[in-house]
Amino acid sequence: MTKREPETAEELLNAVGPAFGKLRRSSLLEVEDPISEKDLSRTLVLRIVLDAEQEDTGEITVGAVGRHLGVDPSVASRMVSDCISAGYLVRAASQQDGRRTVLHLSPEGRELMARFGRHQRAAYDFITADWTEHERLELARLMIKYVASQDSLARRAKGQGARS
């Protein structure tokens, strides 16, 4: 039995959430240079550290990783420790407050993230291979816009929380 496509605007919009839920799971497609499930979950932590470095948003601590992921501090600590054990992250003393420990990507962590980026692009190309160029670029543009809007909302909420 073939699943029918959403027909109304309401059905289409209600299908978005479940579709987003399937995106990360489907990224394990057997495209070139596949990423292991373990390393796939490590990229969640590594992406937070890498984004902070690239955006120069300050130092990233284990607590900040937990806040970004919306997980308990003990869960964040285990996730970070796993990335350190795998050789993808290193701990360093904060340059702003010597009592704090901050996180940095190791060369191996940078290579994993570069490989993950290539894997994501290969998966996107594979999945959208029979789409028109316009469709492929429009989805990419809209996904980037969606994420930017989500980040903007998170920054505003964070700013409002600090004033409360």
Side-chain angles (χ1 to χ4, degrees), residues 24 27 33 35 39-40 43-44 47 110-122:
R24 187 149 179 94
S27 66
D33 205 10
I35 305 293
D39 279 348
L40 183 65
T43 64
L44 292 170
R47 172 57 57 200
R110 290 186 192 290
E111 174 50 36
L112 175 61
M113 292 308 291
R115 190 164 62 91
F116 184 57
R118 291 188 301 271
H119 174 76
Q120 287 177 309
R121 173 62 191 269

Side-chain angles (χ1 to χ4, degrees), residues 32-81:
E32 66 182 58
D33 205 10
I35 305 293
S36 72
E37 285 190 51
K38 187 69 172 166
D39 279 348
L40 183 65
S41 62
R42 289 173 176 148
T43 64
L44 292 170
V45 173
L46 300 180
R47 172 57 57 200
I48 292 166
V49 177
L50 183 61
D51 285 351
E53 289 177 359
Q54 291 175 341
E55 296 167 9
D56 197 24
T57 55
E59 299 175 327
I60 291 293
T61 63
V62 173
V65 168
R67 285 188 299 281
H68 280 282
L69 292 176
V71 298
D72 201 65
S74 62
V75 172
S77 181
R78 284 192 299 275
M79 292 173 79
V80 166
S81 292

